């Protein structure tokens, strides 16, 4: 496990951070440990003023530091905002290639919670916010983007009930003026920070980032939380090793396919060459046969002519 902190205050910390917010357990620990951080982050992401936020409550808390038997357990955070809007937050740094389908499932789960007899209008709006450290659409990278149900022809909004937001932590440089107005890029920089110097610089921006920085420091000082963060790092290391193995197998499989295709192509070329050689042989034999027939026909005509000449000569003899 990484070395514990050697100081008791954030102000005195320096060097590399043991576990940053891109570790999904640290992400969970920080947001669960400080309602102020959770509130500040959601206000930033949803462009809300502090006055509009009456309550922010995590509905699926975990016991921080408690040992987890399953490495594949879910660390996404379910939040209810103002007892009205359901929000799901997730940190996902490994590209499992299924994010789009998975995020839709996470978005729809909380929305589909009506009991028998309830009116559909009672359904609470649902928002899924994913923090990714990779780009979903390489052809059109964006830092922060929201997706809704819309008319594909004229882009008219169909409903505000379902919203899917994505923060691409690998594209912070693409933050728009609006993103910067609500400090979303600074939250992203805080999540990506790898040194205490970076953390302290961001902490000076506002009270919410200050609280987040202090909480990151406090969680890194907790031995049990660090153990769980290490478990997650090992899980993702195993996952990356598995993905590398899958990728290597894919490369080898594609190479085998290319070799097989080359062999098939070579066999096809050789077969076509054999066919051309056979056709040439048939054509040559046909020409020779035709020549033989022509020579025999000429010989027969010559013999007939000679025979006719002998017959005429015999008829003239006394």
């Amino acid at each position: 496990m990484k070395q514990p902190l050697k100081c008791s205050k954030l102000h005195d910390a320096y060097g590399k951070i043991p576990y940053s917010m891109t570790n999904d357990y640290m992400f969970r620990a920080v947001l669960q440990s400080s309602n102020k951080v959770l509130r500040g982050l959601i206000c930033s992401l949803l462009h809300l003023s502090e006055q509009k936020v009456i309550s922010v409550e995590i509905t699926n808390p975990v016991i921080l530091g408690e040992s987890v038997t399953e490495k594949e357990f879910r660390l996404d955070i379910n939040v209810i905002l103002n007892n009205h809007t359901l929000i799901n937050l997730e940190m996902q740094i490994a590209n499992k290639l299924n994010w789009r389908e998975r995020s839709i499932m996470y978005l729809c789960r909380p929305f589909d919670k009506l009991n028998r007899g309830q009116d559909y209008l009672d359904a609470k709006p649902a928002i899924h916010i994913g923090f990714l450290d990779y780009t979903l659409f390489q052809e059109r990278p964006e830092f922060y983007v929201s997706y809704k149900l819309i008319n594909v022809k004229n882009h008219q909004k169909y409903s505000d009930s379902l919203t899917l937001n994505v923060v691409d932590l690998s594209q912070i440089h693409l933050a728009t003026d609006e993103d910067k107005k609500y400090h979303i890029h600074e939250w992203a920089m805080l999540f990506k920070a790898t040194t205490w110097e970076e953390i302290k610089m961001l902490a000076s921006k506002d009270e919410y980032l200050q609280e987040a920085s202090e909480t990151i420091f406090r969680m890194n000082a907790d031995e049990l939380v660090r153990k769980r963060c290490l478990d997650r790092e090992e899980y993702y290391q195993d996952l990356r090793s598995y993905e590398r193995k899958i990728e290597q197998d894919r490369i080898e499989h594609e190479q085998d396919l290319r070799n097989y295709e080359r062999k098939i192509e070579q066999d096809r070329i050789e077969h076509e060459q054999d066919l051309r050689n056979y056709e040439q042989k048939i054509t040559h034999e046909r020409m020779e046969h035709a020549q033989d027939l022509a020579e025999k026909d000429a010989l027969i005509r010559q013999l007939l002519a000679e025979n006719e000449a002998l017959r005429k000569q015999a008829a003239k003899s006394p």
Side-chain angles (χ1 to χ4, degrees):
M1 189 169 65
K2 296 177 182 179
Q3 293 297 317
L5 299 178
K6 298 180 180 180
C7 54
S8 59
K9 295 182 179 180
L10 173 62
H11 177 76
D12 299 323
Y14 63 91
K16 189 173 177 60
I17 302 170
Y19 298 102
S20 71
M21 289 277 281
T22 54
N23 182 296
D24 54 2
Y25 198 92
M26 182 58 68
F27 177 78
R28 151 71 76 162
V30 170
L31 293 183
Q32 184 174 308
S33 297
S34 174
N35 189 264
K36 182 174 182 177
V37 175
L38 181 63
R39 180 186 295 261
L41 177 62
I42 288 176
C43 284
S44 177
L45 292 168
L46 302 186
H47 300 174
L48 299 174
S49 65
E50 173 69 19
Q51 293 73 26
K52 290 185 178 180
V53 178
I54 301 169
S55 63
V56 180
E57 177 188 353
I58 293 179
T59 59
N60 64 336
V62 299
I63 301 176
L64 294 177
E66 187 176 70
S67 180
V68 179
T69 56
E70 297 180 15
K71 286 188 175 181
E72 188 60 86
F73 75 113
R74 286 179 55 181
L75 279 170
D76 56 308
I77 303 172
N78 295 330
V79 175
I80 184 164
L81 172 65
N82 294 342
N83 200 31
H84 175 258
T85 303
L86 304 173
I87 302 173
N88 181 264
L89 300 163
E90 183 173 12
M91 175 65 68
Q92 183 64 54
I93 62 170
N95 187 355
K96 295 184 178 180
L97 306 178
N98 63 354
W99 173 260
R100 278 176 275 180
E101 292 72 19
R102 177 179 173 179
S103 59
I104 292 171
M105 182 184 69
Y106 282 8
L107 174 63
C108 294
R109 273 179 180 171
F111 185 71
D112 187 21
K113 292 294 184 182
L114 286 178
N115 297 318
R116 184 185 296 272
Q118 279 188 284
D119 193 292
Y120 287 112
L121 294 176
D122 293 333
K124 292 180 171 61
I127 302 172
H128 179 78
I129 303 172
F131 297 88
L132 310 184
D133 202 17
Y134 56 89
T135 302
L136 277 178
F137 303 102
Q138 291 291 340
E139 66 280 9
R140 296 188 66 180
E142 293 183 84
F143 167 58
Y144 183 51
V145 61
S146 293
Y147 299 96
K148 289 181 180 288
L149 295 173
I150 63 167
N151 182 316
V152 295
K153 291 182 180 178
N154 59 22
H155 298 164
Q156 179 181 344
K157 191 184 300 180
Y158 186 82
S159 171
D160 280 322
S161 295
L162 296 174
T163 305
L164 201 157
N165 294 353
V166 177
V167 181
D168 186 343
L169 299 176
S170 68
Q171 303 288 352
I172 299 175
H173 62 285
L174 295 180
T176 64
D177 290 340
E178 185 175 45
D179 298 331
K180 294 175 181 178
K181 174 183 176 182
Y182 290 97
H183 308 285
I184 301 173
H185 69 303
E186 290 170 348
W187 282 101
M189 291 166 65
L190 183 75
F191 292 172
K192 288 277 286 184
T194 58
T195 68
W196 292 116
E197 287 78 7
E198 293 175 79
I199 290 284
K200 287 186 284 187
M201 183 273 292
L202 290 163
S204 64
K205 299 293 183 179
D206 65 39
E207 60 178 303
Y208 298 104
L209 291 167
Q210 174 69 38
E211 175 69 17
S213 301
E214 294 285 356
T215 309
I216 292 170
F217 179 83
R218 192 166 68 252
M219 290 299 101
N220 271 282
D222 187 311
E223 182 179 359
L224 291 179
V225 171
R226 289 203 314 275
K227 285 182 178 179
R228 300 292 80 82
C229 288
L230 176 62
D231 289 342
R232 297 304 289 170
E233 281 199 352
E234 290 176 345
Y235 164 70
Y236 279 110
Q237 185 175 354
D238 291 344
L239 182 63
R240 284 189 290 269
S241 296
Y242 178 72
E243 289 171 344
R244 283 195 295 270
K245 178 65 169 61
I246 293 294
E247 179 64 11
Q248 182 62 36
D249 289 346
R250 183 190 65 78
I251 292 172
E252 291 177 358
H253 178 66
E254 290 182 351
Q255 184 61 46
D256 290 340
L257 282 177
R258 286 192 292 270
N259 291 339
Y260 181 68
E261 289 170 352
R262 282 196 293 268
K263 179 66 167 60
I264 289 177
E265 179 64 13
Q266 183 63 34
D267 290 346
R268 184 190 64 78
I269 292 172
E270 291 178 357
H271 178 67
E272 290 181 351
Q273 185 61 48
D274 290 342
L275 282 176
R276 285 193 293 271
N277 292 340
Y278 181 72
E279 289 171 352
Q280 289 172 358
K281 183 172 182 296
I282 293 295
T283 300
H284 181 69
E285 289 178 349
R286 181 182 61 77
M287 292 175 65
E288 288 183 343
H289 180 66
Q291 182 66 33
D292 290 343
L293 287 177
E295 291 175 355
K296 288 178 180 178
D297 186 60
L299 179 60
I300 289 173
R301 285 197 299 272
Q302 181 183 348
L303 291 173
L304 289 173
E306 290 176 354
N307 185 58
E308 179 64 18
L310 290 173
R311 185 185 65 78
K312 287 181 179 180
Q313 185 177 2
K316 291 180 181 180
S317 298

